[in-house]
Every structure is written in C-alpha cells, then in structure tokens.
C-alpha cells in the first residue's frame, strides 16, 4: 500500500464491491443529448443524474439500442471504474417501461 492507505490502488470513484448491483437496479430518465457515430459515444441529459453526479451521462454505442438523439430514455447508471463518471446501461423506452 502507498501512503499508508490500503485503498491507494483502488480506482478513484469506483463503487464499493456490493454497490454495482444496486446501481444497476436504480433507473433514471433523460434524453439523448448527443451521439457521434464516428467516435461511438454520446451523452444523455438527465436532471436527476446531473444532481447526483454533476454531469451528463456517458453513452457508449454498445448501449444505444436503436435510440437516436432527442429520444427519451430510461436507463441505469454504472460508475466508470477508471474515471468515476456515470455511464448509461440498459436503455429502454420510458413509455414502454411504464406500461409493463
């Protein structure tokens, strides 16, 4: 351990071991703000997520699931292990989710 902390090698912002499953159960709502197909990523604007994380939510092309810029989405957030930033997972249509 470096500097006396046994957590010195843990990625900054990484959730505690049991927190990942809890993160993926909580859903947020927002709107796809941007997506760059060349880079394969974009961002979701969500007031609730911004209050909690202080930023828009990263959206990787693997999670896009046929949605496009401007679409309303319901999603889970997983904190990126390297950066501590929020990443969208399990996107669905919030209307379809409400009906289910």
């Amino acid at each position: 351990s470096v500097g006396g902390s046994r957590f010195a090698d843990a990625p900054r912002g990484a959730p505690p071991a049991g927190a990942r499953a809890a993160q993926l159960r909580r859903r947020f709502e927002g709107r796809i703000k941007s997506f760059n197909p060349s880079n394969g990523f974009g961002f979701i604007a969500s007031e609730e997520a911004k209050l909690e994380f202080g930023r828009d939510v990263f959206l990787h092309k693997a999670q896009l699931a046929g949605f496009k810029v401007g679409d309303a989405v319901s999603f889970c957030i997983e904190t990126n292990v390297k950066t501590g930033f929020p990443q969208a997972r399990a996107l669905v249509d919030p209307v379809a989710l409400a009906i289910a």
Side-chain angles (χ1 to χ4, degrees):
S1 80
V2 177
S5 171
R6 64 188 182 112
F7 299 109
D9 295 329
R12 195 176 65 170
R20 184 174 187 273
Q23 280 185 336
L24 293 176
R25 282 193 299 270
R26 183 173 172 205
R27 297 203 71 82
F28 294 81
E29 289 195 8
R31 192 166 296 277
I32 299 178
K33 177 179 179 176
S34 65
F35 187 79
N36 184 324
S38 300
N39 295 333
F41 69 87
F43 292 91
I44 298 173
S46 166
E47 289 301 318
E48 183 182 6
K50 195 166 219 166
L51 284 173
E52 187 166 327
F53 296 97
R55 62 179 52 246
D56 290 331
V57 180
F58 179 83
L59 173 62
H60 186 270
K61 66 182 178 183
Q63 300 296 321
L64 195 57
F67 290 103
K68 59 188 182 311
V69 173
D71 286 348
V73 290
S74 173
F75 57 96
C76 297
I77 289 179
E78 181 176 26
T79 306
N80 180 290
V81 176
K82 291 180 183 176
T83 65
F85 296 157
Q87 289 187 205
R89 298 279 190 255
L91 272 69
V92 295
D93 181 336
V95 174
L97 189 64
I99 294 171

